Amino acid sequence: MSSSSQTYRSDIQGLRALAVLAVIAFHYNKQLLPGGFIGVDIFLVISGYLITNILLQKKTNSEYIFKSTIKKFYISRIQRIVPAYFAMLILVSIASAILFIGSDFGFYAKSLKKSLYFFSNNYFASFGNYFAPGVDEQPLLHTWSLAVEMQFYMLQPLLVVWLPNKWLKRLLPIILISCLLASEYMLRQGAEQSTYYALYARIPEFLVGSSLAIHETGRKWTKKQANIAFIFGLLLIISSTLILSNANSFPGLLSLLPITGAGLIIAAKNARYSTLLGSTPLVWLGALSYSLYLWHWPILSFIRYYTGTYTLSSMSSLIFILATLTLAIASYYWIEQRFHEKKRTILSSKKWLTYTTIGLLLIGLSSIKHLSTKLNTYIAPTELGIEYSRYADPSEICHGEIHGDCIKGNTNSSKQILVIGDSHAAMLNNFFDQLGKELDFSARIITASSCVTIPNFDYERLPEWAQKPCINQIEYAKSYIESANTIIIAGAWDYQTKSQNFINALNRFLSENNKPSKRIYILSQIPKISINTQRLLRFSSLGLPTKFELNDSYKKANIIIENLGKNYKTTQFINLTELDLFKNPPFYELKTGKIEYIYYDEHHLNEIGAQYYSKQAKPIVSEHIQ
């Protein structure tokens, strides 16, 4: 009997099916299964168990040779993972080149480069930029777990084959506990994003599986003991999918819940209930699990990129299901099966097919980044100019970092104001530069991404990449807040008002500065639309149907901020949303009949829009800044 047949278990295939279904449900809608992300952790426990079991069996074989065992292991892993994975990268790259606007494709190309070498977990650990597409629109985000798996394979098999079993039994628990404590420590230090994608944080999941194989856990259990272990393990997994609703606080010690549950189910192979996992539908889905995982996320991300919404409509959901199943089935039967270990005899009789396929994949991968970049540029709509794709030159504004003195407008004026806020305040650099020169004032503008630069702002809720710049800009702004007589605050209020801690911080700020010598003005958030303007142009140039509408979340948020400001005599809310400029966003029709694009995404003006904004807002602003 071959090692593969010795290690094959239909119940584990069924467990794989449950794991991939949990992940897909979570990715489809986080509210559907809040802790569905633990399906990945179940996969890693299974992987650790199976590869360790296979290597231990080969290790005890009378014909065992270290070098050939390791060589065969790595070949089998490459055959199992690489062909379907590379095929996915090629097709997803072509689709991204066609659909993505240039700046978004630039971020994709960086993720592709790391994904080619199975280092995408390191890329996404530090991924973040206010102008980058959201993580739900990153087609290769899911490759982080495959990167972790391949990195783990670089070392663990060597230890299993090389070290005596008695040493392994002592060493693995030490490594497991050390990595578990290290990841928990890093989570408590606020490094949630980098920890989530880190190899060391996932090693405990592999090693739980490895330990099951080394200790042969469950081999001597009675039927009753196995049944109890199975039920308890299943309850741990089910409860984990329901109560572990915050992926940012995972893995750490919380990972013990799902990985213990998976470990108990694997160990309880003699349980009566294991036959349920071994049912034909679950076994079939378990066989498809790798291809299902490979394809479901890119399809979801493309749908969200095109529609501009996280929640899928009924039609989008149907497309997602059909496309995922079709591509997964094709990937499994046409690619995975052709390179499967059991198919080696077929492959050897059709070497030309094998070599041709591998050759085409390598050629495709070596050139896919270059060719897809060329394709992305070739089909781009006519360039409108850089002023349509940004709100200011990032090297000339103090957004996230300090450049110069941060002053716009008439730099020689004795009349000075301080402008603070997030990117919606940064968007007003050209706005205040133009108004300052016309109304004779200077404006010092200090901003940060997603961060309203006031003391006590709750920066902890921001993405990890945005926290340090936020803290630094708040500290820098403090030195000017005390002396400023006129302060203007602008922000993406529909985002900020979701946080009660932010509202508390703003209340405290307005209260502390409620002094006769100060005047504080809070600007309204500009109207928000449902789709990125640049994407709208791209989709239109491709002949794809497009539609957009106003997102009324900005109106409700403006009311909250306006009501908050009414509590303080020195604070006034300035509503600029009724200007002619915002009659039909993201377009503005000039008196000449020319149509201008004034937005560069769904809620920021571009440089052209900022110029028109300042002209139309001038009469209102001049009433307050005298």
Side-chain angles (χ1 to χ4, degrees):
M1 183 181 291
S2 69
S3 62
S4 60
S5 60
Q6 287 176 345
T7 56
Y8 177 81
R9 284 173 48 183
S10 60
D11 60 322
I12 288 182
Q13 286 289 70
L15 185 60
R16 271 196 179 117
L18 295 182
V20 77
L21 290 175
V23 171
I24 291 174
F26 174 75
H27 286 163
Y28 172 76
N29 190 326
K30 294 180 177 67
Q31 303 303 317
L32 191 64
L33 199 63
F37 57 85
I38 60 99
V40 170
D41 307 281
I42 295 173
F43 275 125
L44 300 185
V45 174
I46 293 172
S47 183
Y49 172 77
L50 291 178
I51 65 169
T52 303
N53 208 14
I54 291 171
L55 290 170
L56 289 175
Q57 289 174 19
K58 293 182 180 296
K59 190 175 175 181
T60 57
N61 193 302
S62 58
E63 299 178 357
Y64 161 74
I65 300 175
F66 176 83
K67 185 177 179 180
S68 62
T69 298
I70 290 296
K71 179 181 177 181
K72 288 179 180 177
F73 170 80
Y74 285 124
I75 290 174
S76 70
R77 288 296 86 195
I78 291 171
Q79 285 182 316
R80 173 75 177 95
I81 293 174
V82 171
Y85 178 75
F86 280 7
M88 182 273 294
L89 292 182
I90 291 173
L91 290 181
V92 169
S93 295
I94 294 171
S96 297
I98 294 171
L99 196 63
F100 284 6
I101 61 174
S103 59
D104 292 345
F105 186 80
F107 287 105
Y108 171 79
K110 292 177 183 177
S111 70
L112 173 64
K113 182 179 179 180
K114 296 293 183 179
S115 298
L116 288 173
Y117 304 104
F118 293 98
F119 278 101
S120 60
N121 63 317
N122 295 321
Y123 174 74
F124 289 113
S126 58
F127 177 79
N129 183 301
Y130 194 84
F131 302 104
V135 291
D136 292 322
E137 298 172 341
Q138 293 291 317
L140 300 182
L141 178 68
H142 67 318
T143 63
W144 74 267
S145 62
L146 299 173
V148 163
E149 192 165 359
M150 291 298 277
Q151 290 164 24
F152 181 76
Y153 290 157
M154 293 298 102
L155 180 61
Q156 196 261 4
L158 297 174
L159 290 177
V160 171
V161 175
W162 181 55
L163 291 177
N165 287 1
K166 63 179 181 180
W167 287 17
L168 284 173
K169 290 178 180 179
R170 295 171 183 172
L171 180 61
L172 293 191
I174 296 174
I175 299 175
L176 190 156
I177 294 171
S178 298
C179 290
L180 199 63
L181 293 176
S183 59
E184 182 66 23
Y185 172 78
M186 292 303 294
L187 287 173
R188 292 179 182 274
Q189 297 302 307
E192 292 95 349
Q193 180 175 329
S194 56
T195 303
Y196 186 85
Y197 296 107
L199 171 62
Y200 70 83
R202 302 294 172 170
I203 282 178
E205 295 152 14
F206 288 105
L207 295 189
V208 165
S210 296
S211 298
L212 292 173
I214 292 170
H215 291 278
E216 297 183 279
T217 308
R219 185 171 63 87
K220 296 181 179 180
W221 286 354
T222 64
K223 198 81 169 178
K224 182 178 180 180
Q225 289 173 324
N227 287 339
I228 293 172
F230 183 95
I231 293 172
F232 186 56
L234 188 60
L235 287 174
L236 282 176
I237 289 175
I238 292 173
S239 61
S240 296
T241 62
L242 298 175
I243 65 175
L244 298 180
S245 58
N246 185 7
N248 289 334
S249 60
F250 199 82
L253 294 176
L254 288 176
S255 65
L256 289 174
L257 291 174
I259 64 178
T260 300
L264 287 172
I265 290 176
I266 292 171
K269 61 181 179 180
N270 296 322
R272 180 179 63 183
Y273 310 105
S274 292
T275 56
L276 297 175
L277 290 178
S279 63
T280 301
L282 286 180
V283 169
W284 182 70
L285 284 174
L288 283 178
S289 60
Y290 177 53
S291 283
L292 284 169
Y293 184 80
L294 277 182
W295 289 104
H296 85 281
W297 179 257
I299 294 168
L300 268 178
S301 67
F302 285 137
I303 291 174
R304 285 173 175 147
Y305 188 87
Y306 176 62
T307 62
T309 60
Y310 171 80
T311 304
L312 272 62
S313 66
S314 298
M315 179 57 68
S316 295
S317 297
L318 181 61
I319 293 171
F320 163 63
I321 293 170
L322 293 177
T324 298
L325 279 174
T326 300
L327 287 171
I329 290 171
S331 175
Y332 176 70
Y333 288 106
W334 294 350
I335 301 177
E336 279 194 69
Q337 286 291 81
R338 289 182 180 274
F339 288 88
H340 197 278
E341 187 176 2
K342 293 180 180 179
K343 302 288 182 179
R344 283 180 185 170
T345 55
I346 297 176
L347 286 174
S348 61
S349 65
K350 297 180 179 179
K351 288 183 179 180
W352 64 271
L353 177 62
T354 306
Y355 295 148
T356 301
T357 304
I358 293 174
L360 288 173
L361 284 171
L362 290 175
I363 292 171
L365 284 169
S366 65
S367 58
I368 189 63
K369 185 173 180 290
H370 174 72
L371 293 177
S372 57
T373 301
K374 288 282 189 181
L375 176 62
N376 180 263
T377 305
Y378 177 75
I379 64 175
T382 304
E383 281 290 336
L384 292 176
I386 194 170
E387 65 272 17
Y388 289 89
S389 60
R390 68 183 188 184
Y391 50 67
D393 184 343
S395 66
E396 296 180 356
I397 63 175
C398 294
H399 186 58
E401 56 186 2
I402 302 302
H403 293 124
D405 56 14
C406 310
I407 295 179
K408 300 295 181 181
N410 183 357
T411 56
N412 296 319
S413 175
S414 59
K415 193 188 307 178
Q416 297 181 346
I417 68 170
L418 175 66
V419 181
I420 53 179
D422 57 24
S423 62
H424 278 232
M427 176 183 74
L428 302 177
N429 268 270
N430 290 340
F431 174 93
F432 281 111
D433 190 50
Q434 188 168 318
L435 283 179
K437 290 171 181 175
E438 294 178 2
L439 299 177
D440 188 29
F441 68 84
S442 66
R444 190 185 303 273
I445 307 173
I446 305 169
T447 61
S449 292
S450 304
C451 167
V452 178
T453 47
I454 58 175
N456 306 302
F457 178 82
D458 54 327
Y459 65 86
E460 299 88 353
R461 66 185 163 95
L462 301 185
E464 195 173 314
W465 58 266
Q467 292 185 14
K468 187 174 180 181
C470 176
I471 295 170
N472 292 342
Q473 295 297 87
I474 289 172
E475 286 300 313
Y476 188 75
K478 276 182 182 179
S479 59
Y480 296 100
I481 289 173
E482 183 65 30
S483 59
N485 294 322
T486 302
I487 300 175
I488 296 179
I489 308 174
W493 303 131
D494 67 326
Y495 169 71
Q496 303 295 355
T497 54
K498 291 177 182 177
S499 168
Q500 183 59 47
N501 288 333
F502 164 72
I503 293 176
N504 294 341
L506 183 57
N507 253 321
R508 181 175 173 180
F509 176 80
L510 297 178
S511 175
E512 291 176 350
N513 290 278
N514 190 32
K515 304 172 183 178
S517 61
K518 287 185 179 292
R519 289 292 179 270
I520 298 177
Y521 301 101
I522 304 179
L523 297 187
S524 58
Q525 177 178 340
I526 67 170
K528 184 175 182 179
I529 57 175
S530 59
I531 189 170
N532 181 303
T533 306
Q534 294 182 69
R535 296 182 190 183
L536 185 67
L537 290 171
R538 180 91 179 184
F539 302 155
S540 297
S541 72
L542 292 171
L544 296 173
T546 57
K547 65 177 183 178
F548 64 92
E549 56 191 18
L550 277 180
N551 183 332
D552 285 342
S553 62
Y554 80 95
K555 293 182 179 179
K556 298 174 183 177
N558 280 339
I559 292 172
I560 293 173
I561 294 296
E562 182 177 13
N563 289 335
L564 190 151
K566 289 178 180 178
N567 297 321
Y568 306 97
K569 291 182 178 180
T570 59
T571 297
Q572 186 173 348
F573 181 81
I574 302 178
N575 186 6
L576 298 175
T577 62
E578 301 301 322
L579 298 176
D580 287 345
L581 186 68
F582 300 122
K583 281 186 176 180
N584 188 32
F587 311 109
Y588 176 56
E589 184 175 359
L590 304 179
K591 291 180 180 180
T592 60
K594 180 184 178 182
I595 302 295
E596 286 275 28
Y597 283 93
I598 58 172
Y599 281 57
Y600 86 85
D601 64 6
E602 63 271 27
H603 60 118
H604 291 98
L605 296 173
N606 55 33
E607 289 187 39
I608 299 298
Q611 291 174 15
Y612 290 122
Y613 193 25
S614 67
K615 290 178 182 178
Q616 294 191 13
K618 180 180 176 180
I620 300 173
V621 174
S622 64
E623 292 178 7
H624 303 289
I625 302 176
Q626 299 175 353

